Structure formats: C-alpha cells, structure tokens
C-alpha cells in the first residue's frame, strides 16, 4: 500500500502537462518565478538550446531564482511584472506558466493581483504558439485569492472553443480552500 501513487497536486499536474508538451530547444515563459522551482524545472525541459524567460516583481525572487538555476545561460530573468511580458518577448512561445499568490517564505502581502494577472494572461494567449500550453495554478486561501481565482477561471471559461481547449483540475473534498490548476491549450 505504501508505494501506491497519490493523485498529483495541481502544481505537480502542471509540471506533468508541461513536460509532455515542451520540446528541447523551445522558448517558454515562467510568469512568476518566485523561489525558482518552476524555472529550474522549465530549464531542464527546454535543455541547453532552449530558453526560459522569467518574470517577478520582487528583486528577492529574481535573486533566489538566479541562485537556484545556477546562472544557467538558458534562463533570462526580468525584474518586472508579467503584465509587461510583451515588452520582452515577441516571438511565439511553446509554454507559459503562472503560479499565483505570494512568495513562500517572503512578503505575504506582495501577491499577484486580479487586474495585472488578467492583463498578463490575455497577452500570454496571444504569445502562445499553435499547440502551445498555458498553465495557471491559482491559490484561493489568502486575502484577494478567491476574487483573483474566480476572475481567472471566468476569463479562461470565456476563451473561444474553436481556438482554445481549457481544462480545470482540483481536489473536490479538501478543507482550507485548495488551489486549482487551469490548463489552456492553443489549438493547432
Ligand atoms: C506563488 S509565488 C511563485 C512560485 C514559483 N513559481 C516557484 O516555483 O517558486 C508567486 C510570485 O508571483 C510574484 N508576483 C506577484 N505579482 C507579480 C506580477 N505582477 N508579475 C510577476 N510576478 C508577480 C510574487 O512576487 C511571487 O514571487
């Protein structure tokens, strides 16, 4: 019994979906680098000929991510909000990931916000190449989280079915407002 697999958490499910989709040499975006775990994962997915472009509002997050990824040449970090991502990325990208909320171990009041998140998501679907994948993990346990989560979910639900497939993954019976994952595929 001890070795039976557990259902993946939303963050793990996001990594599974991203790893299936990303090819070596791809360019991808980490819209919220935080402590750098997702950036490191993406850097391994794209390999040395690919590129991860990362964003965070907090200098400490950029610093932590730089440390975690060991200054890899395939990681480019911008100390800037993800709502500005179109100032830095022009070509279509294979995948984009958002991990909303606050920096674990950091300032709990410096959180992603509904308006800038929606702006960034709208820009992201434009930047995504055909067949590309956007993942969003939304946390709804902190102040402002439920409003942001609802807005993101409403936005994703409104995407045109002819051009996008949208799926949602979450635990249904957990206490304490568990996070959920949205996976958005731009149809080829
Ligand atoms: C849940 S953490 C990300 C965790 C990260 N993906 C990891 O693997 O450690 C959310 C991050 O979003 C950042 N953030 C908040 N608003 C932002 C914005 N407008 N643009 C980019 N990052 C933002 C916060 O500073 C925080 O570091």
């Amino acid at each position: 019994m001890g070795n039976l697999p557990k259902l993946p958490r939303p963050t793990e499910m996001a990594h599974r979906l991203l790893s299936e989709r990303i090819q070596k040499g791809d360019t991808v975006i980490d819209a919220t680098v935080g402590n750098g775990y997702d950036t490191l994962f993406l850097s391994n997915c794209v390999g040395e000929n690919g590129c991860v472009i990362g964003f965070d509002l907090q200098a400490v997050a950029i610093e932590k991510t730089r440390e975690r990824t060991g200054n890899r040449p395939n990681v480019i970090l911008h100390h800037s909000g993800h709502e500005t991502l179109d100032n830095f990325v022009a070509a279509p990208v294979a995948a984009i990931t958002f991990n909303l909320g606050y920096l674990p171990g950091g300032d709990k009041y410096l959180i992603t916000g509904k308006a800038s998140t929606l702006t960034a998501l709208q820009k992201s679907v434009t930047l995504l190449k055909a067949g590309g994948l956007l993942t969003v993990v939304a946390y709804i346990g902190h102040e402002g989280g439920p409003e942001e989560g609802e807005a993101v979910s409403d936005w994703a639900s409104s995407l045109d079915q002819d051009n996008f497939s949208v799926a949602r993954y979450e635990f249904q019976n957990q206490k304490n407002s568990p996070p959920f994952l949205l996976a958005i595929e731009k149809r080829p």
Side-chain angles (χ1 to χ4, degrees):
M1 284 293 281
N3 291 330
L4 279 175
K6 287 185 183 151
L7 282 172
R9 288 175 291 143
T11 43
E12 291 168 339
M13 183 59 108
H15 281 198
R16 282 195 195 185
L17 296 174
L18 290 162
S19 64
E20 280 172 16
R21 188 67 52 131
I22 297 169
Q23 310 277 313
K24 295 285 182 211
D26 276 346
T27 296
V28 302
I29 295 175
D30 185 349
T32 49
V33 299
N35 286 317
Y37 293 104
D38 291 326
T39 313
L40 181 61
F41 160 78
L42 292 170
S43 165
N44 290 333
C45 289
V46 299
E48 59 188 20
N49 295 322
C51 182
V52 187
I53 305 168
F55 295 87
D56 206 289
L57 271 185
Q58 297 190 60
V60 63
I62 298 295
E63 203 43 52
K64 288 203 171 197
T65 301
R66 197 160 276 140
E67 275 170 29
R68 192 166 313 280
T69 55
N71 276 318
R72 290 187 187 186
N74 73 355
V75 175
I76 298 169
L77 298 174
H78 296 292
H79 180 196
S80 185
H82 42 222
E83 58 278 13
T84 67
L85 54 79
D86 54 330
N87 292 341
F88 301 94
V89 192
V93 298
I96 306 178
T97 187
F98 285 73
N99 194 330
L100 302 176
Y102 56 82
L103 180 67
D107 184 343
K108 292 198 171 168
Y109 295 97
L110 247 168
I111 52 172
T112 53
K114 184 169 107 173
S116 49
T117 298
L118 288 177
T119 301
L121 287 172
Q122 193 53 49
K123 290 180 174 181
S124 293
V125 288
T126 309
L127 269 180
L128 212 54
K129 74 178 187 187
L133 183 71
L134 167 64
T135 65
V136 186
V137 175
Y139 298 86
I140 53 175
H142 58 277
E143 205 180 316
E147 293 76 13
E148 184 184 39
E150 192 182 344
V152 168
S153 185
D154 287 350
W155 168 81
S157 305
S158 75
L159 288 169
D160 166 20
Q161 188 183 346
D162 290 336
N163 293 310
F164 297 96
S165 295
V166 180
R168 179 171 165 141
Y169 176 82
E170 64 191 318
F171 286 98
Q172 293 288 339
N173 65 338
Q174 270 186 6
K175 294 174 190 146
N176 300 330
S177 312
F180 64 87
L181 164 69
L182 293 171
I184 299 166
E185 178 188 63
K186 194 170 201 171
R187 287 178 182 259

